[in-house]
Amino acid sequence: MTYQLIFSALADPSRRHVFEQLRGGSRSVGELAQSLPISRPAVSQHVKVLAQAGLVDVQVRGRRSEVSARPDGLAVLREYVESYWSDVLGAFEAEITRQRDERHD
Amino acid sequence: MTYQLIFSALADPSRRHVFEQLRGGSRSVGELAQSLPISRPAVSQHVKVLAQAGLVDVQVRGRRSEVSARPDGLAVLREYVESYWSDVLGAFEAEITRQRDERHD
DNA sequence: CATTATGGTAAGTCATGACTTACCAATTAA
DNA sequence: TTAATTGGTAAGTCATGACTTACCATAATG
């Protein structure tokens, strides 16, 4: 459910570009739009999707909307990857052990 | 480019389900298909996408195709997340410092 | 060799979603 | 209050991609 939102949010190149812009801190929607070859409304929609995925926070200040990366959302992805990573390494180790033990031919 | 393939591969629920099945080790295409409410050809196509993303290895043994998770592919995702994570934490710290220093009102 | 098991490929359908332009809302400045 | 700035929403278009069924290929088995 949450993974769904996170992965499909980051699957789009424009949204990943937006996300990348936020590595160093917050940016306004207009600034984000200027860094992309698409319209501002498109960027606005992308930001909405990123926000729903929990990857981004939007803070309205005056007539500007400041968008920033949200550590909590990223943590979900991080933990998924770490968990999968350790499971796979475990499975690999088990497989190698199995192959070694099977050498009775 | 690679991120594109990885994130869009994992954005699909069926493909994530396949990927999940591989946490504990390899599975044949038929076994994967049985665990999903979709046809075997659909699974075959999903496996192809996962393989192109580098997330999965396919090994043909006799008339079976054994699919397994590929640590190298996962590592790419892992490093991306870790790198982004550290950048964002850095930006947050810088922002807090900036706000503290600005308290001259 | 004929049959069964296993799986990849082709072609076509259908839904989703990434855009666009047009419009509206709200905040700041003249 | 009138402009200008900034950005969200609506509606419509178009491409992509996730499925299906039908088919073909190869490997094990009788």
Side-chain angles (χ1 to χ4, degrees), chain B residues 20 59 61 64 71 98:
Chain B
E20 280 299 316
Q59 209 169 356
R61 273 215 252 174
R64 292 166 62 89
R98 195 185 62 72

PDB file of all heavy atoms in Angstrom, chain B residues 20 59 61 64 71 98:
ATOM      1  N   GLU B  20       8.850 -10.365  -3.987  1.00  0.00           N
ATOM      2  CA  GLU B  20       8.713 -10.801  -2.592  1.00  0.00           C
ATOM      3  C   GLU B  20       8.892 -12.310  -2.450  1.00  0.00           C
ATOM      4  O   GLU B  20       9.474 -12.783  -1.476  1.00  0.00           O
ATOM      5  CB  GLU B  20       7.336 -10.403  -2.052  1.00  0.00           C
ATOM      6  CG  GLU B  20       7.227  -8.945  -1.626  1.00  0.00           C
ATOM      7  CD  GLU B  20       8.191  -8.610  -0.519  1.00  0.00           C
ATOM      8  OE1 GLU B  20       8.306  -9.395   0.429  1.00  0.00           O
ATOM      9  OE2 GLU B  20       8.861  -7.551  -0.600  1.00  0.00           O
ATOM     10  N   GLN B  59      17.715 -18.491 -14.610  1.00  0.00           N
ATOM     11  CA  GLN B  59      18.618 -19.576 -14.939  1.00  0.00           C
ATOM     12  C   GLN B  59      17.786 -20.732 -15.484  1.00  0.00           C
ATOM     13  O   GLN B  59      16.960 -21.298 -14.759  1.00  0.00           O
ATOM     14  CB  GLN B  59      19.359 -20.005 -13.680  1.00  0.00           C
ATOM     15  CG  GLN B  59      20.733 -20.574 -13.933  1.00  0.00           C
ATOM     16  CD  GLN B  59      21.509 -20.731 -12.646  1.00  0.00           C
ATOM     17  OE1 GLN B  59      21.017 -20.340 -11.566  1.00  0.00           O
ATOM     18  NE2 GLN B  59      22.703 -21.302 -12.717  1.00  0.00           N
ATOM     19  N   ARG B  61      17.078 -24.343 -16.352  1.00  0.00           N
ATOM     20  CA  ARG B  61      17.574 -25.672 -15.982  1.00  0.00           C
ATOM     21  C   ARG B  61      16.572 -26.685 -16.494  1.00  0.00           C
ATOM     22  O   ARG B  61      15.482 -26.821 -15.939  1.00  0.00           O
ATOM     23  CB  ARG B  61      17.725 -25.779 -14.473  1.00  0.00           C
ATOM     24  CG  ARG B  61      19.097 -25.271 -14.029  1.00  0.00           C
ATOM     25  CD  ARG B  61      19.634 -26.068 -12.852  1.00  0.00           C
ATOM     26  NE  ARG B  61      19.604 -25.271 -11.618  1.00  0.00           N
ATOM     27  CZ  ARG B  61      19.901 -25.774 -10.428  1.00  0.00           C
ATOM     28  NH1 ARG B  61      20.210 -27.053 -10.303  1.00  0.00           N
ATOM     29  NH2 ARG B  61      19.853 -25.011  -9.353  1.00  0.00           N
ATOM     30  N   ARG B  64      12.725 -25.987 -16.878  1.00  0.00           N
ATOM     31  CA  ARG B  64      12.296 -25.015 -15.875  1.00  0.00           C
ATOM     32  C   ARG B  64      13.140 -23.749 -15.956  1.00  0.00           C
ATOM     33  O   ARG B  64      14.293 -23.784 -16.364  1.00  0.00           O
ATOM     34  CB  ARG B  64      12.410 -25.607 -14.466  1.00  0.00           C
ATOM     35  CG  ARG B  64      11.416 -26.726 -14.194  1.00  0.00           C
ATOM     36  CD  ARG B  64      11.800 -27.489 -12.930  1.00  0.00           C
ATOM     37  NE  ARG B  64      11.771 -26.639 -11.744  1.00  0.00           N
ATOM     38  CZ  ARG B  64      10.682 -26.462 -10.987  1.00  0.00           C
ATOM     39  NH1 ARG B  64       9.565 -27.065 -11.298  1.00  0.00           N
ATOM     40  NH2 ARG B  64      10.727 -25.689  -9.919  1.00  0.00           N
ATOM     41  N   PRO B  71      21.471  -9.717  -5.877  1.00  0.00           N
ATOM     42  CA  PRO B  71      21.982  -8.735  -4.918  1.00  0.00           C
ATOM     43  C   PRO B  71      22.561  -7.480  -5.576  1.00  0.00           C
ATOM     44  O   PRO B  71      22.336  -6.372  -5.092  1.00  0.00           O
ATOM     45  CB  PRO B  71      23.072  -9.518  -4.177  1.00  0.00           C
ATOM     46  CG  PRO B  71      22.649 -10.934  -4.267  1.00  0.00           C
ATOM     47  CD  PRO B  71      22.008 -11.064  -5.611  1.00  0.00           C
ATOM     48  N   ARG B  98      20.559  27.299  10.161  1.00  0.00           N
ATOM     49  CA  ARG B  98      20.230  28.579   9.549  1.00  0.00           C
ATOM     50  C   ARG B  98      19.137  29.300  10.357  1.00  0.00           C
ATOM     51  O   ARG B  98      19.225  30.496  10.638  1.00  0.00           O
ATOM     52  CB  ARG B  98      19.746  28.346   8.116  1.00  0.00           C
ATOM     53  CG  ARG B  98      19.705  29.596   7.243  1.00  0.00           C
ATOM     54  CD  ARG B  98      19.108  29.304   5.886  1.00  0.00           C
ATOM     55  NE  ARG B  98      17.738  28.852   5.959  1.00  0.00           N
ATOM     56  CZ  ARG B  98      16.696  29.638   6.261  1.00  0.00           C
ATOM     57  NH1 ARG B  98      16.886  30.912   6.514  1.00  0.00           N
ATOM     58  NH2 ARG B  98      15.473  29.144   6.319  1.00  0.00           N
TER      59      ARG B  98
END
